[in-house]
DNA sequence: AATCCGGGGGC
DNA sequence: GCCCCAGGATT
């Protein structure tokens, strides 16, 4: 495998074709980059942009967020989805303020110790905020490597091997390695896409094993399909939180349960009795909602 | 290793 | 309608 040629072509393409995303600006703080990585976990770039800007305007440092109640983070998270991430980001801000003098750590192990920071986010922050040399592997990178290196139509289940695969391709120079990491993610996001890859625009087409072998239909077994959202507990939870974000005081359990049922068909309600109450209880368990007396509010 | 966790965009 | 998305925590 011509790793030097691949790295050069990909970095060159990134210089020409990368989107101008604000968290890639050179002066972006490590905190701002950390916030972007939290928001980008399973949420697309276009939806993140306005929330990211507003978040950093309001909370320019971890200590600023840590000083506000966690419910404010849940409210500002708006509809980015998976609101537990807002809670985790708040906890991470408290941890950074209390344990790291309000400075985002650069060490991968210290980053991994923060709430809500896993293998992807830790290496992304160490790499993009501090210029360290690590393989940064996300869903885009895994797909690019699956196709270019392994000749497969799609990536399989995430595995430790993914980090080794990426490390094999990484340029020696840390700055070049950081750009290469970002470029692999960008290529997967806008050219080597899951659905309809734009191979005619791909800078790695000449090296791509999947292309070279005639696009075999050899996708490995995918992770189990996510349950349908319509009618799910997640949807019910989302409706309750939407009510609490807009309500500035507390609401009753009856109001919360009614919000959980809003829009459900009579048949769906009959098929899933008690779902609304379960949704409220699970939000309480997750501390996304807290009870004070008979009423409920954001934490 | 499997499940859970939002919500929206693309096709 | 279905698939996918800059994942991580929990069991």
């Amino acid at each position: 495998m011509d790793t030097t040629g691949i790295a050069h072509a990909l970095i060159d393409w990134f210089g020409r074709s990368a989107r101008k995303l604000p968290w890639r600006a050179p002066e972006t703080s490590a905190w701002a980059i950390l916030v972007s990585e939290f928001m980008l976990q399973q949420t697309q770039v276009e939806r993140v942009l306005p929330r990211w800007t507003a978040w950093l305007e309001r909370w320019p440092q971890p200590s600023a967020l840590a000083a506000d109640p966690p419910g404010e983070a849940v409210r500002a998270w708006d509809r980015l989805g998976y609101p537990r991430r807002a809670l985790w980001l708040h906890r991470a801000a408290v941890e950074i303020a209390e344990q790291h003098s309000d400075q985002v750590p650069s060490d991968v192990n210290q980053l991994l110790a923060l709430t809500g920071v896993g293998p992807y986010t830790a290496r992304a922050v160490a790499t993009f905020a501090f210029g360290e040399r690590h393989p940064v592997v996300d869903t885009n990178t895994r797909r690019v490597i699956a196709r270019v290196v392994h000749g497969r139509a799609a990536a399989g289940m995430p595995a430790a091997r993914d980090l080794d695969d990426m490390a094999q391709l990484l340029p020696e120079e840390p700055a070049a390695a950081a750009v290469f990491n970002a470029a692999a993610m960008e290529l997967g996001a806008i050219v080597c896409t899951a659905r309809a890859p734009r191979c005619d625009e791909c800078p790695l087409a000449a090296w791509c094993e999947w292309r070279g072998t005639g696009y075999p239909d050899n996708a490995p077994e995918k992770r189990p399909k996510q349950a349908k959202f319509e009618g799910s507990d997640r949807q019910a939870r989302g409706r309750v939180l939407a009510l609490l974000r807009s309500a500035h005081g507390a609401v009753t359990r009856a109001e919360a349960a009614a919000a959980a049922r809003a829009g459900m068909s009579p048949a769906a309600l009959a098929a899933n009795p008690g779902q609304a109450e379960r949704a409220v209880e699970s939000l309480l368990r997750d501390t996304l909602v807290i009870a004070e007396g008979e009423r409920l509010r954001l934490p």
Side-chain angles (χ1 to χ4, degrees):
Chain A
M1 180 73 42
D2 173 19
T3 58
T4 303
I6 288 175
H8 186 274
L10 188 53
I11 290 171
D12 186 63
W13 168 84
F14 187 73
R16 292 193 315 272
S17 309
R19 294 168 292 181
K20 304 276 184 283
L21 302 178
W23 42 83
R24 287 182 183 153
E27 68 274 17
T28 310
S29 71
W31 166 242
I33 290 174
L34 179 66
V35 172
S36 79
E37 297 300 348
F38 264 83
M39 291 183 169
L40 288 163
Q41 292 168 6
Q42 300 286 281
T43 304
Q44 297 89 335
V45 166
E46 288 70 22
R47 294 170 57 204
V48 164
L49 285 168
R51 293 295 108 225
W52 181 79
T53 304
W55 192 282
L56 289 159
E57 195 164 317
R58 180 169 178 186
W59 297 304
Q61 305 88 20
S63 55
L65 176 57
D68 273 341
E72 285 305 297
V74 174
R75 200 187 306 280
W77 196 256
D78 199 33
R79 304 180 71 95
L80 289 179
Y82 293 139
R84 295 196 287 199
R85 291 182 292 160
L87 228 41
W88 293 341
L89 179 51
H90 182 274
R91 278 182 211 147
V94 171
E95 291 159 2
I96 293 166
E98 292 182 350
Q99 302 167 25
H100 299 285
S101 308
D102 211 20
Q103 304 297 311
V104 176
S106 61
D107 178 73
V108 168
N109 287 319
Q110 292 186 2
L111 285 161
L112 283 169
L114 298 173
T115 301
V117 173
Y120 164 75
T121 303
R123 290 179 180 79
V125 171
T127 297
F128 302 136
F130 296 104
E132 293 196 5
R133 183 177 180 277
H134 301 282
V136 181
V137 172
D138 76 332
T139 185
N140 292 305
T141 303
R142 297 194 325 105
R143 182 173 54 253
V144 170
I145 289 177
R147 288 175 177 166
V148 175
V149 178
H150 299 303
R152 290 198 293 264
M157 306 278 287
R161 174 67 200 276
D162 300 337
L163 284 177
D164 301 330
D165 285 346
M166 188 61 177
Q168 294 289 321
L169 299 174
L170 220 53
E172 286 303 322
E173 192 61 34
V179 177
F180 183 79
N181 277 307
M185 290 165 47
E186 186 78 348
L187 189 74
I190 67 181
V191 173
C192 193
T193 54
R195 212 71 64 81
R198 300 169 174 81
C199 300
D200 53 329
E201 302 173 21
C202 182
L204 305 186
W207 292 277
C208 182
E209 192 68 18
W210 186 49
R211 177 181 176 86
T213 52
Y215 300 113
D217 182 15
N218 58 359
E221 192 127 348
K222 287 298 296 181
R223 53 202 304 179
K225 202 167 51 169
Q226 183 174 29
K228 187 189 294 202
F229 180 59
E230 192 66 31
S232 68
D233 288 2
R234 283 169 23 223
Q235 185 181 39
R237 287 164 52 105
R239 291 198 188 101
V240 174
L241 273 190
L243 170 67
L244 285 167
R245 279 196 305 266
S246 60
H248 277 273
V251 305
T252 65
R253 282 176 185 265
E255 288 167 337
R261 293 189 196 93
M264 301 276 289
S265 71
L269 289 174
N272 208 341
Q275 184 186 51
E277 287 74 16
R278 283 201 312 279
V280 171
E281 290 310 313
S282 75
L283 288 169
L284 287 163
R285 261 199 309 282
D286 290 347
T287 70
L288 279 162
V289 173
I290 62 173
E292 76 188 347
E294 293 302 303
R295 301 173 76 81
L296 305 175
R297 61 174 177 82
L298 293 179

Short mmCIF file of all heavy atoms in Angstrom, two decimals, chain A residues 64-119:
data_model
loop_
_atom_site.label_atom_id
_atom_site.label_comp_id
_atom_site.label_asym_id
_atom_site.label_seq_id
_atom_site.Cartn_x
_atom_site.Cartn_y
_atom_site.Cartn_z
N ALA A 64 -17.45 28.59 33.18
CA ALA A 64 -18.71 29.34 32.98
C ALA A 64 -19.88 28.38 32.92
O ALA A 64 -20.92 28.60 33.55
CB ALA A 64 -18.62 30.17 31.70
N LEU A 65 -19.72 27.30 32.19
CA LEU A 65 -20.79 26.30 32.13
C LEU A 65 -20.97 25.62 33.48
O LEU A 65 -22.10 25.41 33.94
CB LEU A 65 -20.47 25.25 31.06
CG LEU A 65 -21.45 24.08 30.94
CD1 LEU A 65 -22.87 24.57 30.67
CD2 LEU A 65 -21.00 23.12 29.84
N ALA A 66 -19.85 25.30 34.13
CA ALA A 66 -19.91 24.60 35.41
C ALA A 66 -20.66 25.42 36.45
O ALA A 66 -21.26 24.86 37.38
CB ALA A 66 -18.49 24.28 35.90
N ALA A 67 -20.64 26.75 36.31
CA ALA A 67 -21.27 27.61 37.30
C ALA A 67 -22.79 27.66 37.14
O ALA A 67 -23.49 28.11 38.04
CB ALA A 67 -20.70 29.02 37.20
N ASP A 68 -23.29 27.23 36.00
CA ASP A 68 -24.73 27.20 35.78
C ASP A 68 -25.28 25.80 36.10
O ASP A 68 -24.55 24.83 36.02
CB ASP A 68 -25.06 27.56 34.32
CG ASP A 68 -25.18 29.06 34.12
OD1 ASP A 68 -25.38 29.77 35.13
OD2 ASP A 68 -25.08 29.52 32.98
N PRO A 69 -26.56 25.72 36.43
CA PRO A 69 -27.14 24.39 36.69
C PRO A 69 -27.17 23.56 35.40
O PRO A 69 -27.28 24.11 34.30
CB PRO A 69 -28.55 24.70 37.20
CG PRO A 69 -28.81 26.11 36.83
CD PRO A 69 -27.51 26.81 36.67
N PRO A 70 -27.07 22.22 35.54
CA PRO A 70 -27.03 21.35 34.37
C PRO A 70 -28.26 21.49 33.47
O PRO A 70 -28.16 21.29 32.26
CB PRO A 70 -26.92 19.94 34.96
CG PRO A 70 -27.19 20.08 36.42
CD PRO A 70 -26.90 21.48 36.80
N GLY A 71 -29.39 21.85 34.07
CA GLY A 71 -30.60 22.01 33.26
C GLY A 71 -30.45 23.09 32.20
O GLY A 71 -31.09 23.02 31.14
N GLU A 72 -29.63 24.08 32.49
CA GLU A 72 -29.39 25.13 31.48
C GLU A 72 -28.67 24.54 30.27
O GLU A 72 -28.88 24.98 29.14
CB GLU A 72 -28.59 26.28 32.08
CG GLU A 72 -29.41 27.17 32.99
CD GLU A 72 -30.65 27.70 32.28
OE1 GLU A 72 -30.50 28.44 31.29
OE2 GLU A 72 -31.77 27.34 32.69
N ALA A 73 -27.79 23.57 30.52
CA ALA A 73 -27.13 22.90 29.39
C ALA A 73 -28.15 22.10 28.58
O ALA A 73 -28.12 22.11 27.35
CB ALA A 73 -26.01 21.99 29.91
N VAL A 74 -29.05 21.42 29.27
CA VAL A 74 -30.08 20.65 28.57
C VAL A 74 -30.96 21.58 27.74
O VAL A 74 -31.33 21.27 26.61
CB VAL A 74 -30.93 19.85 29.58
CG1 VAL A 74 -32.09 19.16 28.89
CG2 VAL A 74 -30.05 18.83 30.32
N ARG A 75 -31.26 22.75 28.29
CA ARG A 75 -32.10 23.70 27.55
C ARG A 75 -31.36 24.23 26.33
O ARG A 75 -31.91 24.29 25.22
CB ARG A 75 -32.51 24.86 28.47
CG ARG A 75 -33.71 25.63 27.98
CD ARG A 75 -33.98 26.88 28.83
NE ARG A 75 -34.11 26.59 30.25
CZ ARG A 75 -35.22 26.12 30.82
NH1 ARG A 75 -36.29 25.90 30.10
NH2 ARG A 75 -35.25 25.88 32.11
N ALA A 76 -30.10 24.59 26.50
CA ALA A 76 -29.33 25.15 25.39
C ALA A 76 -29.01 24.09 24.33
O ALA A 76 -28.71 24.42 23.18
CB ALA A 76 -28.03 25.76 25.91
N TRP A 77 -29.03 22.84 24.74
CA TRP A 77 -28.79 21.74 23.80
C TRP A 77 -29.86 21.74 22.72
O TRP A 77 -29.64 21.29 21.60
CB TRP A 77 -28.77 20.42 24.55
CG TRP A 77 -28.18 19.29 23.81
CD1 TRP A 77 -28.87 18.27 23.21
CD2 TRP A 77 -26.79 19.01 23.60
NE1 TRP A 77 -27.99 17.38 22.64
CE2 TRP A 77 -26.71 17.82 22.86
CE3 TRP A 77 -25.61 19.67 23.97
CZ2 TRP A 77 -25.49 17.26 22.48
CZ3 TRP A 77 -24.40 19.11 23.59
CH2 TRP A 77 -24.35 17.94 22.86
N ASP A 78 -31.04 22.23 23.10
CA ASP A 78 -32.16 22.32 22.17
C ASP A 78 -32.49 20.95 21.59
O ASP A 78 -32.55 19.98 22.33
CB ASP A 78 -31.84 23.36 21.09
CG ASP A 78 -33.08 23.85 20.38
OD1 ASP A 78 -34.14 23.94 21.01
OD2 ASP A 78 -32.99 24.14 19.17
N ARG A 79 -32.63 20.83 20.30
CA ARG A 79 -33.07 19.56 19.71
C ARG A 79 -31.93 18.83 19.02
O ARG A 79 -32.14 18.18 17.99
CB ARG A 79 -34.19 19.83 18.70
CG ARG A 79 -35.37 20.58 19.31
CD ARG A 79 -36.45 20.82 18.30
NE ARG A 79 -37.15 19.60 17.95
CZ ARG A 79 -38.29 19.21 18.52
NH1 ARG A 79 -38.84 19.96 19.43
NH2 ARG A 79 -38.86 18.10 18.15
N LEU A 80 -30.75 18.92 19.56
CA LEU A 80 -29.62 18.22 18.93
C LEU A 80 -29.72 16.71 19.11
O LEU A 80 -29.02 15.96 18.44
CB LEU A 80 -28.29 18.71 19.52
CG LEU A 80 -27.89 20.12 19.10
CD1 LEU A 80 -26.58 20.52 19.75
CD2 LEU A 80 -27.78 20.22 17.59
N GLY A 81 -30.58 16.27 20.02
CA GLY A 81 -30.74 14.83 20.21
C GLY A 81 -29.81 14.28 21.26
O GLY A 81 -28.78 14.89 21.60
N TYR A 82 -30.16 13.12 21.82
CA TYR A 82 -29.39 12.49 22.88
C TYR A 82 -29.02 13.52 23.95
O TYR A 82 -27.84 13.85 24.16
CB TYR A 82 -28.13 11.84 22.33
CG TYR A 82 -28.38 10.64 21.45
CD1 TYR A 82 -27.65 10.45 20.29
CD2 TYR A 82 -29.34 9.71 21.79
CE1 TYR A 82 -27.88 9.35 19.48
CE2 TYR A 82 -29.57 8.60 20.99
CZ TYR A 82 -28.85 8.43 19.84
OH TYR A 82 -29.07 7.34 19.04
N PRO A 83 -30.01 14.08 24.65
CA PRO A 83 -29.75 15.15 25.60
C PRO A 83 -28.86 14.74 26.77
O PRO A 83 -28.35 15.60 27.48
CB PRO A 83 -31.15 15.54 26.08
CG PRO A 83 -32.01 14.35 25.80
CD PRO A 83 -31.44 13.73 24.55
N ARG A 84 -28.66 13.43 26.95
CA ARG A 84 -27.69 13.04 27.99
C ARG A 84 -26.32 13.64 27.69
O ARG A 84 -25.53 13.88 28.60
CB ARG A 84 -27.57 11.51 28.03
CG ARG A 84 -28.84 10.82 28.46
CD ARG A 84 -28.58 9.40 28.87
NE ARG A 84 -28.30 8.56 27.72
CZ ARG A 84 -28.40 7.24 27.75
NH1 ARG A 84 -28.77 6.63 28.86
NH2 ARG A 84 -28.12 6.53 26.69
N ARG A 85 -26.05 13.86 26.39
CA ARG A 85 -24.75 14.46 26.05
C ARG A 85 -24.61 15.85 26.66
O ARG A 85 -23.51 16.27 27.01
CB ARG A 85 -24.59 14.55 24.52
CG ARG A 85 -24.43 13.20 23.85
CD ARG A 85 -24.23 13.35 22.36
NE ARG A 85 -25.44 13.84 21.71
CZ ARG A 85 -25.45 14.42 20.52
NH1 ARG A 85 -24.33 14.59 19.84
NH2 ARG A 85 -26.58 14.82 19.98
N ALA A 86 -25.72 16.58 26.75
CA ALA A 86 -25.67 17.91 27.37
C ALA A 86 -25.31 17.80 28.85
O ALA A 86 -24.51 18.57 29.38
CB ALA A 86 -27.01 18.62 27.20
N LEU A 87 -25.91 16.80 29.50
CA LEU A 87 -25.60 16.56 30.90
C LEU A 87 -24.14 16.15 31.06
O LEU A 87 -23.44 16.62 31.97
CB LEU A 87 -26.52 15.43 31.41
CG LEU A 87 -27.28 15.59 32.71
CD1 LEU A 87 -27.86 16.96 32.86
CD2 LEU A 87 -28.36 14.51 32.80
N TRP A 88 -23.68 15.29 30.18
CA TRP A 88 -22.29 14.83 30.26
C TRP A 88 -21.32 15.96 29.99
O TRP A 88 -20.26 16.06 30.62
CB TRP A 88 -22.05 13.69 29.26
CG TRP A 88 -22.79 12.44 29.59
CD1 TRP A 88 -23.34 12.10 30.80
CD2 TRP A 88 -23.09 11.34 28.71
NE1 TRP A 88 -23.95 10.87 30.72
CE2 TRP A 88 -23.82 10.39 29.47
CE3 TRP A 88 -22.83 11.08 27.36
CZ2 TRP A 88 -24.27 9.18 28.90
CZ3 TRP A 88 -23.27 9.89 26.81
CH2 TRP A 88 -23.98 8.96 27.57
N LEU A 89 -21.66 16.81 29.05
CA LEU A 89 -20.78 17.94 28.75
C LEU A 89 -20.71 18.88 29.95
O LEU A 89 -19.64 19.41 30.28
CB LEU A 89 -21.28 18.69 27.51
CG LEU A 89 -20.49 19.91 27.06
CD1 LEU A 89 -19.00 19.62 26.94
CD2 LEU A 89 -21.04 20.43 25.73
N HIS A 90 -21.82 19.06 30.63
CA HIS A 90 -21.81 19.88 31.83
C HIS A 90 -20.91 19.24 32.89
O HIS A 90 -20.10 19.92 33.53
CB HIS A 90 -23.23 20.06 32.36
CG HIS A 90 -23.32 20.93 33.58
ND1 HIS A 90 -23.15 20.44 34.86
CD2 HIS A 90 -23.52 22.27 33.71
CE1 HIS A 90 -23.27 21.44 35.73
NE2 HIS A 90 -23.49 22.56 35.05
N ARG A 91 -21.06 17.92 33.07
CA ARG A 91 -20.20 17.24 34.06
C ARG A 91 -18.74 17.35 33.68
O ARG A 91 -17.87 17.57 34.54
CB ARG A 91 -20.58 15.76 34.19
CG ARG A 91 -21.76 15.53 35.10
CD ARG A 91 -22.07 14.05 35.25
NE ARG A 91 -23.51 13.89 35.47
CZ ARG A 91 -24.23 12.86 35.06
NH1 ARG A 91 -23.65 11.86 34.40
NH2 ARG A 91 -25.51 12.82 35.29
N ALA A 92 -18.45 17.18 32.41
CA ALA A 92 -17.06 17.31 31.96
C ALA A 92 -16.54 18.71 32.26
O ALA A 92 -15.38 18.88 32.66
CB ALA A 92 -16.95 17.00 30.46
N ALA A 93 -17.39 19.72 32.08
CA ALA A 93 -16.98 21.10 32.38
C ALA A 93 -16.65 21.25 33.86
O ALA A 93 -15.66 21.90 34.23
CB ALA A 93 -18.08 22.08 31.96
N VAL A 94 -17.47 20.65 34.72
CA VAL A 94 -17.19 20.69 36.16
C VAL A 94 -15.85 20.00 36.45
O VAL A 94 -15.02 20.50 37.21
CB VAL A 94 -18.33 20.03 36.95
CG1 VAL A 94 -17.95 19.87 38.42
CG2 VAL A 94 -19.62 20.84 36.81
N GLU A 95 -15.63 18.85 35.83
CA GLU A 95 -14.39 18.11 36.06
C GLU A 95 -13.17 18.91 35.60
O GLU A 95 -12.13 18.95 36.27
CB GLU A 95 -14.46 16.76 35.33
CG GLU A 95 -15.47 15.80 35.95
CD GLU A 95 -15.92 14.69 35.00
OE1 GLU A 95 -15.43 14.63 33.85
OE2 GLU A 95 -16.79 13.90 35.40
N ILE A 96 -13.31 19.56 34.46
CA ILE A 96 -12.19 20.36 33.94
C ILE A 96 -11.93 21.56 34.86
O ILE A 96 -10.79 21.88 35.18
CB ILE A 96 -12.48 20.84 32.51
CG1 ILE A 96 -12.51 19.63 31.56
CG2 ILE A 96 -11.42 21.84 32.05
CD1 ILE A 96 -13.11 19.95 30.19
N ALA A 97 -13.00 22.21 35.28
CA ALA A 97 -12.84 23.38 36.15
C ALA A 97 -12.21 22.99 37.48
O ALA A 97 -11.31 23.68 37.98
CB ALA A 97 -14.19 24.06 36.37
N GLU A 98 -12.67 21.86 38.04
CA GLU A 98 -12.21 21.50 39.39
C GLU A 98 -10.88 20.77 39.40
O GLU A 98 -10.10 20.91 40.34
CB GLU A 98 -13.28 20.63 40.06
CG GLU A 98 -14.56 21.39 40.37
CD GLU A 98 -15.60 20.52 41.08
OE1 GLU A 98 -15.37 19.29 41.14
OE2 GLU A 98 -16.61 21.07 41.55
N GLN A 99 -10.65 19.95 38.39
CA GLN A 99 -9.46 19.08 38.43
C GLN A 99 -8.34 19.53 37.51
O GLN A 99 -7.22 19.05 37.61
CB GLN A 99 -9.87 17.64 38.07
CG GLN A 99 -10.93 17.07 38.99
CD GLN A 99 -11.53 15.78 38.44
OE1 GLN A 99 -10.87 15.08 37.67
NE2 GLN A 99 -12.75 15.47 38.83
N HIS A 100 -8.64 20.42 36.55
CA HIS A 100 -7.63 20.79 35.56
C HIS A 100 -7.49 22.31 35.43
O HIS A 100 -7.14 22.80 34.36
CB HIS A 100 -7.97 20.18 34.20
CG HIS A 100 -8.02 18.67 34.20
ND1 HIS A 100 -6.90 17.88 34.22
CD2 HIS A 100 -9.07 17.81 34.20
CE1 HIS A 100 -7.24 16.59 34.21
NE2 HIS A 100 -8.57 16.53 34.22
N SER A 101 -7.81 23.02 36.50
CA SER A 101 -7.63 24.48 36.51
C SER A 101 -8.31 25.15 35.33
O SER A 101 -7.78 26.11 34.76
CB SER A 101 -6.14 24.84 36.50
OG SER A 101 -5.47 24.15 37.53
N ASP A 102 -9.46 24.61 34.94
CA ASP A 102 -10.26 25.21 33.87
C ASP A 102 -9.60 25.09 32.48
O ASP A 102 -10.01 25.78 31.56
CB ASP A 102 -10.56 26.69 34.18
CG ASP A 102 -11.89 27.15 33.60
OD1 ASP A 102 -12.73 26.28 33.31
OD2 ASP A 102 -12.08 28.36 33.44
N GLN A 103 -8.61 24.22 32.36
CA GLN A 103 -7.95 24.00 31.06
C GLN A 103 -8.25 22.59 30.57
O GLN A 103 -8.01 21.62 31.29
CB GLN A 103 -6.43 24.17 31.19
CG GLN A 103 -6.00 25.52 31.76
CD GLN A 103 -6.41 26.68 30.88
OE1 GLN A 103 -6.18 26.67 29.67
NE2 GLN A 103 -7.05 27.69 31.48
N VAL A 104 -8.73 22.49 29.35
CA VAL A 104 -8.98 21.17 28.77
C VAL A 104 -7.65 20.42 28.70
O VAL A 104 -6.67 20.96 28.16
CB VAL A 104 -9.58 21.29 27.36
CG1 VAL A 104 -9.73 19.92 26.71
CG2 VAL A 104 -10.92 22.01 27.42
N PRO A 105 -7.57 19.21 29.26
CA PRO A 105 -6.29 18.49 29.21
C PRO A 105 -5.96 18.05 27.78
O PRO A 105 -6.85 17.84 26.96
CB PRO A 105 -6.54 17.27 30.11
CG PRO A 105 -8.01 17.11 30.17
CD PRO A 105 -8.60 18.48 30.00
N SER A 106 -4.66 17.90 27.52
CA SER A 106 -4.22 17.46 26.20
C SER A 106 -3.90 15.98 26.16
O SER A 106 -3.77 15.41 25.08
CB SER A 106 -2.97 18.26 25.78
OG SER A 106 -1.92 18.02 26.70
N ASP A 107 -3.78 15.37 27.33
CA ASP A 107 -3.41 13.97 27.41
C ASP A 107 -4.62 13.07 27.14
O ASP A 107 -5.68 13.27 27.74
CB ASP A 107 -2.84 13.68 28.80
CG ASP A 107 -2.47 12.22 28.97
OD1 ASP A 107 -1.45 11.82 28.38
OD2 ASP A 107 -3.21 11.50 29.66
N VAL A 108 -4.43 12.09 26.29
CA VAL A 108 -5.55 11.24 25.90
C VAL A 108 -6.16 10.52 27.10
O VAL A 108 -7.39 10.43 27.23
CB VAL A 108 -5.13 10.22 24.82
CG1 VAL A 108 -6.19 9.15 24.63
CG2 VAL A 108 -4.88 10.93 23.50
N ASN A 109 -5.33 10.04 28.01
CA ASN A 109 -5.89 9.32 29.16
C ASN A 109 -6.66 10.25 30.09
O ASN A 109 -7.68 9.85 30.67
CB ASN A 109 -4.79 8.58 29.90
CG ASN A 109 -4.31 7.37 29.12
OD1 ASN A 109 -5.12 6.65 28.54
ND2 ASN A 109 -3.01 7.17 29.06
N GLN A 110 -6.17 11.46 30.24
CA GLN A 110 -6.92 12.42 31.05
C GLN A 110 -8.23 12.81 30.36
O GLN A 110 -9.25 13.01 31.02
CB GLN A 110 -6.08 13.67 31.33
CG GLN A 110 -4.89 13.37 32.25
CD GLN A 110 -4.12 14.62 32.65
OE1 GLN A 110 -4.48 15.73 32.28
NE2 GLN A 110 -3.05 14.42 33.40
N LEU A 111 -8.19 12.91 29.05
CA LEU A 111 -9.43 13.20 28.31
C LEU A 111 -10.42 12.05 28.44
O LEU A 111 -11.62 12.27 28.66
CB LEU A 111 -9.10 13.46 26.83
CG LEU A 111 -8.46 14.82 26.55
CD1 LEU A 111 -7.76 14.82 25.19
CD2 LEU A 111 -9.51 15.93 26.61
N LEU A 112 -9.92 10.83 28.35
CA LEU A 112 -10.80 9.66 28.46
C LEU A 112 -11.47 9.59 29.82
O LEU A 112 -12.56 9.00 29.95
CB LEU A 112 -10.00 8.38 28.21
CG LEU A 112 -9.66 8.07 26.76
CD1 LEU A 112 -8.64 6.93 26.68
CD2 LEU A 112 -10.92 7.73 25.98
N ALA A 113 -10.84 10.18 30.83
CA ALA A 113 -11.42 10.14 32.18
C ALA A 113 -12.58 11.12 32.33
O ALA A 113 -13.33 11.04 33.30
CB ALA A 113 -10.33 10.45 33.21
N LEU A 114 -12.75 12.02 31.38
CA LEU A 114 -13.86 12.98 31.48
C LEU A 114 -15.17 12.31 31.10
O LEU A 114 -15.23 11.47 30.20
CB LEU A 114 -13.61 14.17 30.53
CG LEU A 114 -12.36 15.01 30.81
CD1 LEU A 114 -12.15 16.03 29.69
CD2 LEU A 114 -12.46 15.71 32.15
N THR A 115 -16.24 12.73 31.78
CA THR A 115 -17.56 12.17 31.49
C THR A 115 -17.96 12.46 30.05
O THR A 115 -17.86 13.59 29.58
CB THR A 115 -18.60 12.79 32.44
OG1 THR A 115 -18.21 12.51 33.78
CG2 THR A 115 -19.98 12.23 32.17
N GLY A 116 -18.39 11.41 29.35
CA GLY A 116 -18.89 11.57 27.99
C GLY A 116 -17.82 11.60 26.92
O GLY A 116 -18.13 11.77 25.74
N VAL A 117 -16.56 11.44 27.33
CA VAL A 117 -15.46 11.43 26.37
C VAL A 117 -15.00 9.99 26.18
O VAL A 117 -14.56 9.35 27.13
CB VAL A 117 -14.29 12.30 26.84
CG1 VAL A 117 -13.09 12.15 25.91
CG2 VAL A 117 -14.72 13.76 26.92
N GLY A 118 -15.10 9.49 24.98
CA GLY A 118 -14.70 8.13 24.65
C GLY A 118 -13.52 8.12 23.71
O GLY A 118 -12.86 9.15 23.53
N PRO A 119 -13.24 6.98 23.10
CA PRO A 119 -12.04 6.83 22.26
C PRO A 119 -12.00 7.83 21.11
O PRO A 119 -10.93 8.36 20.79
CB PRO A 119 -12.17 5.40 21.72
CG PRO A 119 -13.05 4.70 22.68
CD PRO A 119 -13.97 5.72 23.26
#
